[in-house]
Every structure is written in structure tokens, then in C-alpha cells.
């Protein structure tokens, strides 16, 4: 599965695409029809498409976009003029994405950076372009710019954290796999692997950051499994989500839910896809279904609380964090999450109590003292704030 862009071409041309497919909001267009600049996403062989496939498209900017994709992204011709004409006509979000992707493909990194930077000017809230620029900056050795873009992409959509972390670890994959005894044992066998062995091997590849190999294995397991195990679709979909291949992930989560409407994880993951599409109401409905299926699932409350925060629904977020603390009373992290929210709600005393509880549970986590110091300062306790800052510096120096 080292040809994810080939899946995009199937999505675009194995059905009769119409102008309506490209009248969606920018985040949905990017999620459905684009990929980040990562070499392993590209097809190993060029794909040839006849240009008469686009004769039914009447709108010129869309026709230019599709032709440019077919000759430049999955083909070997120069699509720059087509994409630039599409941008001139409508400032298409996909034209910027594809133009940057083409420059990345031919290793014209300065040009790719320029395209992504221009796209950011017009689409400031789209994490796709910050993540794309981050990836190119990394190749160029521009660590400061890459780190800045990573932080923004992660803040706008935390799903991008996973793909950027995965890409950063690709240089170590061979080492991780060579040291993994389960991989060495199962890969050396001469017999066909059972379903359980395929699952185990896939999980080990995930631990080694070889998500593409894991996707191959889960696909093999799905093809071999005549009983249609919904968990296999959840496993593979979760990896597509980690790679920000949102439409492929959505297809798998939909299939898992078709097979088992009580599949809690599928609802949670699908909600995260809907968040990336900015379909907040759909995401909240899926979180509600997940909660109904399993009212003791901590991840439901943590993920939904984060969404409520981004939507500005702070009381609703607090209710979910309260439930999260109730389910995990010995976990320092949940207290720190709730403390941060209480600070936003101007409940400084409540935030102080939660940070203190977090410190009691994990007294060696230096950042907690820094956070509590800021609260104490706002409450007028400058002496207590100094003591916490001193403890923070002490732990940082160790």
C-alpha cells in the first residue's frame, strides 16, 4: 500500500464526477481529494488517463484541475500552467494543493514552499497547508519553520500530529523492525499466516511506525476474512486516519458500523474524521452514539470535551471532563485537562485544586508546577508561585 494517490484516482475516475463533487467547503475538498507531500503516497508507476474523461465537466476551473492532476500528479507531464489557470479562475483550494504536490514530486522545494505559503494566506484555517509546508521544510533542513508549522497544524486539527510524527520516524523504521522479535518470527515463517497472526503482525508494524505495511496486512486480512470482522475495518481505518487519508478512513468506519452498530471505536474514529471535515454536528452525534454504547469509555469524554472547547461550549466540555475524572481518579493527566478548562472559565480556585491534585499524583512532572505557579500568581499568592517556579526549574535541571 505505497500508492495512496492511486486510491484518489480511483475515487475521482471510477465514478462519473460532476461539478457538484467540487462545490464542497475547503476542508472537505482537501480531505476527499488531496494528500500531503510524502513520497510513499505516490504511485510507483504512472497512470495514463484519456482526456475525454473530462468532456462532461463544463466549469473550466474544475476541468483544468482534473487535467492537471491526471497529467502531473499521477502522470509524468508538466501541469503547472493548468493549475495556475485554475487558481486564476477561482483560487481553488485543490489547485494550490496539487501544484505544491507537483513541485514536491519533482523536488522543486522552494517553489513548493512558495505555493503552500500563498495558500496559507488565503486559507489560514486549513491545517493541510501548514502540514504540507512543514514536511517540505523538514526536507530542506529548515527546522524552525517546520516546528512552527507543525504546532499550527496540530492546533488546528490534532489528527495532523500523527502523520507528522509518523513521517519524522521513517528513518528509524528499518531499525525498529530489525529489533522486533515478533516481526522477525512471523515474517520468517513459510506458511500462510492465520487471521490472528496477521492482526498481531500488523500491530507490531504499527509500533514500528510502518503504517503502510500494517495497512497492507489488514487489507490482506480483510480480503481473507469471509465473515467480515468489523474490527479489521476499524484497525485499517485508524491507520488511514493517522495518515490523514480521511476519505479512506471514513469508508472503513462506515463499513465497520454497517457490520456492527455497537462498534464504539468506529463511532469515535468517525467523529474525528467529521471534525476534520468541520462537520461538528455529525461528530457530536457519533460521540453520543459511542457514549450510549459504552458509557464508561474515557476516550469518548476526552475527545468530545476537546471538541466542545473548540466550539466554545465550555460548560458542556466541563461536564465531560468531570465524567473523565470520575472514571480515572488516579490519572494526573485528566486533572490537568480539567484545570486548564477551569482557567478558561475563570474558576481559578477550581484550577488550583485540580493542578494540586495532578501534582500529588505525579510530583515529578515539571510543567504542572509551572501551570500552578501561573494560577497562584493570578490569585495573589506570589510566594507560592515562586516556590512552584523554583520546583519547576529544579526538575528541569535534573
Amino acid at each position: 500500500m505505497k500508492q495512496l494517490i492511486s486510491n484518489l484516482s480511483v475515487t475521482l475516475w471510477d465514478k462519473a464526477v460532476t461539478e457538484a463533487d467540487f462545490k464542497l467547503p475547503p476542508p472537505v475538498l482537501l480531505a476527499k481529494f488531496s494528500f500531503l507531500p510524502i513520497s510513499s503516497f505516490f504511485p510507483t508507476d504512472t497512470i495514463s488517463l484519456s482526456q475525454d474523461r473530462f468532456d462532461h465537466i463544463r466549469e473550466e476551473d474544475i476541468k483544468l484541475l482534473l487535467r492537471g492532476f491526471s497529467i502531473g500528479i499521477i502522470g509524468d507531464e508538466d501541469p503547472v500552467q493548468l493549475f495556475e489557470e485554475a487558481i486564476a479562475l477561482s483560487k481553488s483550494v485543490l489547485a494550490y494543493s496539487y501544484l505544491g504536490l507537483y513541485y514536491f514530486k519533482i523536488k522543486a522545494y522552494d517553489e513548493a514552499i512558495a505555493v503552500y505559503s500563498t495558500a496559507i494566506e488565503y486559507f489560514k484555517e486549513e491545517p493541510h497547508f501548514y502540514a504540507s509546508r512543514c514536511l517540505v521544510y523538514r526536507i530542506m533542513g529548515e527546522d524552525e519553520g517546520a516546528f512552527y508549522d507543525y504546532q499550527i497544524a496540530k492546533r488546528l486539527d490534532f489528527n495532523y500530529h500523527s502523520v507528522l510524527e509518523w513521517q519524522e520516524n521513517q528513518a528509524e523504521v528499518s531499525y525498529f523492525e530489525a529489533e522486533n522479535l515478533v516481526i522477525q518470527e512471523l515474517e520468517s515463517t513459510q506458511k500462510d499466516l492465520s487471521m490472528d497472526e496477521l492482526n498481531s503482525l500488523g500491530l507490531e508494524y504499527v509500533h514500528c511506525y510502518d503504517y503502510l505495511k500494517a495497512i497492507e496486512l489488514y487489507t490482506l486480512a480483510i480480503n481473507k476474512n469471509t465473515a467480515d470482522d468489523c474490527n479489521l475495518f476499524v484497525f485499517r481505518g485508524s491507520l488511514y486516519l493517522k495518515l490523514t487519508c480521511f476519505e479512506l478512513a471514513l469508508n472503513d468506519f462506515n463499513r465497520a458500523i454497517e457490520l456492527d452498530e455497537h462498534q464504539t471505536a468506529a463511532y469515535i474514529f468517525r467523529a474525528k474524521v467529521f471534525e476534520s471535515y468541520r462537520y461538528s454536528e455529525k461528530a457530536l452525534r457519533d460521540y453520543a452514539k459511542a457514549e450510549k454504547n459504552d458509557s464508561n469509555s474515557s476516550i469518548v469524554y476526552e475527545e468530545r470535551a476537546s471538541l466542545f472547547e473548540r466550539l466554545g461550549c465550555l460548560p458542556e466540555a466541563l461536564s465531560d471532563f468531570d465524567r473523565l475524572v470520575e472514571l480515572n481518579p488516579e490519572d494526573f493527566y485528566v486533572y490537568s485537562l480539567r484545570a486548564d478548562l477551569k482557567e478558561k472559565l475563570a474558576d481559578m480556585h477550581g484550577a488550583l485544586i485540580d493542578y494540586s491534585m495532578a501534582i500529588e499524583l505525579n510530583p515529578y512532572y515539571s510543567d504542572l508546577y509551572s501551570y500552578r505557579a501561573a494560577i497562584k500568581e493570578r490569585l495573589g499568592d506570589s510566594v507560592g508561585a515562586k516556590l512552584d517556579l523554583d520546583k519547576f526549574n529544579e526538575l528541569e535541571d535534573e
Side-chain angles (χ1 to χ4, degrees), residues 60-61 64-65 79-92 95 99:
E60 188 63 20
D61 61 327
L64 290 165
L65 182 74
V80 171
Q81 183 177 345
L82 295 173
F83 290 143
E84 288 182 343
E85 288 180 14
I87 289 170
L89 285 171
S90 64
K91 287 190 169 57
S92 165
L99 182 56

Side-chain angles (χ1 to χ4, degrees), residues 34-47:
S34 194
F35 283 98
L36 293 171
I38 296 174
S39 296
S40 51
F41 285 0
F42 282 79
T44 53
D45 300 312
T46 59
I47 301 172

Side-chain angles (χ1 to χ4, degrees), residues 240-260:
Y240 282 139
L241 181 60
K242 283 179 177 290
L243 295 172
T244 64
C245 301
F246 297 114
E247 194 71 4
L248 298 174
L250 182 60
N251 291 338
D252 275 356
F253 300 141
N254 286 341
R255 181 61 180 148
I257 290 168
E258 286 175 11
L259 293 169
D260 181 4

